[in-house]
Amino acid sequence: MAPSEPSHYVTLISNDGFEFIVQRDAACVAGTIRKMLDPQSRFVEAMTGRCHLSTLNAAILEKVIEYLYYNLKHRDAKDVPDMEIPADMCLELLLAADYLDV
Amino acid sequence: MLESRRGANNVIRGPQSALTDFLASNNISAAQIRSDYERRQRRAQEQHAQESPGSQPNAEQAVAAADGAQQVESAVRQNKRKREQDKAVAKIRQGKNAKNHKKAKGGNSSGDDDDYDLSIDMYSKKKPLPGQLENCEVCSKRFTVTPYSKTGPDGGLLCPKCSKEQETERKRDEKAKQKSRGREKRRQTQSNLLDGIAQVGPRTLLDLCLKEVANNIHEVDEFGDLPQSLLKRLSQILSKQRLMNPRTLDLFLRPGLESISLYDCGKLETDDFIRMLSVAPTLRRINLQFAGQFKDEVLDYMMERDVPVKHLQLEAANLVTNAKWTEFFTRCGRRLESLKLAWLDFAMDDDAFVHLVQHCPNLKRIRLRKCFKLGSRGLSALSQLGDLEHLSLQFHSQQSVDPSNITGLVAAMGSKLRTLTLENFADADDSVLASIKSGCTKLTKLRLTGSLYCTDHGFAQLFSDWTNPPLSLIDFSGNRLLDCAEPDGPDQPVGLASAGFEALMKHSGSALEKLEIASCRHIDRDCFAEAFNGAINCVSLRELNISFLTKINSGLVMAMLKTCPNLLRVTAFGCFNITDVRVPRGVALIGVPNAQDCIVQEGNAGTGFLP
């Protein structure tokens, strides 16, 4: 059932039904998602490449994904400029970051 | 008097300008002038409207003249003409308004009042056009205006010379700003280094969000159900920024809360502490630093509400009296499992400590820092705490403590102790080390600092054939004789020296996670070279403090970094022989000014996938 060659992209789904197709590398920046997608775990998420994140809405998930790509891009860089966090979503994003382990 | 004046004019006036007063005294009214002006304008507009070719009124007029005068028709005509006129005036006024809007540039853009706009138009001075002459705003020199003339600080024009000066000044300012930004960045990097953060890659989203929340704390109404770990981090950040006040305290409080840590209570009053306990009477773990206003009343309330506090940590709670401490220990002492008190120079005397020992039999951890009134009676009483596993004492510089008190304490409870800290213990001598060796069998952490009398031989003896398993934390910093007559120290080394260090590494090197040997100046270079030549496997060593060890040089640091693959932080203040070190990425080398420019972040030691 599991695909022999895991796809380069995975799908992250927010609780209000929005689907984000992101690079596997980027998604794996987040510890929780990495564990979900670990082929060893034999979770449904790992089999299908689709992660339902039922605690995050689309707006937060979009921002999180923005960070995932930002992190991926600057992973080895020095003196990275901080990513802008909108003040009105910082608390929700904080909870999301804690949950996703990023 | 006032009444009569009011009666005469029947208007209420605001303050008048001097000019208006003067004009009024000469029987000239500003309002009169303005209304005259407006009337003239209106007339001119009327004329303009009438003269415009092909306009309705003209045509009609001609027709009317031909028809001959009829009363009714003329009345209709007059009405119509008036309407047309009004329309034209309104149109012109609108056009003028629009122009004024453009000129005002946000200054007074409301412009609903037509009269006001007209008057602005009337009084404002026109800016000279290119080619005209004007006086410079700064140097008052007369010059020819060009399209390139700059605007001065007050809105006037500047002569070419002043324009140039202004331009260069602006550029200089910009440059300075850029420079300071660079400096700030470097400063931030250094500040991070001091915190042990050798940054590789971007900061975590969690850190970014925490920073953002702390920056916008004034707009946060509640934290919601943030987990305890995040509350703690937020409390740390807010305390560091000195933002912990009654309002921010409320954010941390919620019913059912079991643990609270406030690292700066300097702005909190007694009532705030009581409110904290009334909102969350379920607190089990309380940690309050700089809690100067933590008074008897708070402990009273704690006893009244029967707060089930097990872990109590207070700093600077000096206004709690001895009697209240005694009462508190008597009533709530049984449930206390850990007690950490610091900076008590007024209360908590020996009697209170004796009470503490009597009524708190379940204490597992006790930490007393700078408790000025703690004397030998209190110290020897501590030895009756049967379950104690963690003992930490920090003395203040003027406190003289008889080593026999400590040796007695260690001998009595050493076999149960897991951690032992004796900081700033100036009077410690070899007998203390001997008692540690004979008494302690399951220590994982040993800290003994600031002693003036412990010898190298004593340390070597401690670590040779000690039945205690290898330690994970050792701190022997600042053990040396301070004598101005002998700046290089005595011939017989005082404090940890070569023999002691060798024995230490042999005994604990394999398990050490943190080693602090700052100011242990008698350790030889050869001894270091031998310890870090790869013979002893220091895989777990993560933090190393070698400050003020002037014999350490770049080569030794390189050897340390090589043999300890998991090293994350090396503190080396005052090591002036460290000049050029290639620091692996992820490692923080702190306090080395000479090596500043030579630090190269290279390799990929110790970097996981996540930052």
Side-chain angles (χ1 to χ4, degrees), chain B residues 266-284:
Chain B
K267 292 180 184 165
L268 301 184
E269 299 294 329
T270 313
D271 290 344
D272 296 320
F273 294 121
I274 291 179
R275 197 178 73 240
M276 174 185 89
L277 293 172
S278 70
V279 174
T282 47
L283 280 172
R284 290 168 190 279

Side-chain angles (χ1 to χ4, degrees), chain B residues 209-229:
Chain B
C209 291
L210 281 171
K211 196 180 118 198
E212 194 61 34
V213 173
N215 286 345
N216 295 294
I217 194 69
H218 298 298
E219 280 151 42
V220 177
D221 292 327
E222 56 173 338
F223 282 150
D225 47 351
L226 283 187
Q228 198 57 242
S229 58

Side-chain angles (χ1 to χ4, degrees), chain B residues 404-541:
Chain B
S404 64
N405 283 323
I406 303 295
T407 51
L409 204 57
V410 171
M413 58 200 334
S415 57
K416 284 193 180 134
L417 283 183
R418 294 177 183 279
T419 68
L420 175 62
T421 297
L422 302 166
E423 282 181 288
N424 231 345
F425 188 10
D427 299 316
D429 57 15
D430 286 352
S431 68
V432 175
L433 294 173
S435 73
I436 293 173
K437 184 179 179 181
S438 59
C440 302
T441 51
K442 47 183 188 184
L443 279 187
T444 57
K445 165 184 162 183
L446 175 61
R447 214 187 266 275
L448 175 69
T449 66
S451 120
L452 299 178
Y453 305 108
C454 290
T455 64
D456 187 29
H457 179 70
F459 283 111
Q461 279 296 310
L462 170 65
F463 285 106
S464 50
D465 305 322
W466 190 13
T467 47
N468 200 75
L471 301 162
S472 59
L473 188 153
I474 294 182
D475 178 4
F476 287 142
S477 46
N479 291 326
R480 75 269 201 242
L481 190 64
L482 284 175
D483 188 354
C484 298
E486 287 177 289
D488 290 333
D491 293 336
Q492 271 305 325
V494 166
L496 188 70
S498 300
F501 184 67
E502 215 179 305
L504 181 158
M505 290 304 281
K506 215 168 161 188
H507 176 263
S508 300
S510 55
L512 264 183
E513 287 171 20
K514 189 172 175 182
L515 176 63
E516 302 210 13
I517 45 170
S519 302
C520 293
R521 53 187 170 175
H522 295 290
I523 307 174
D524 280 337
R525 196 184 306 159
D526 296 343
C527 180
F528 276 120
E530 206 167 299
F532 293 104
N533 67 358
I536 300 167
N537 200 359
C538 304
V539 273
S540 37
L541 193 62

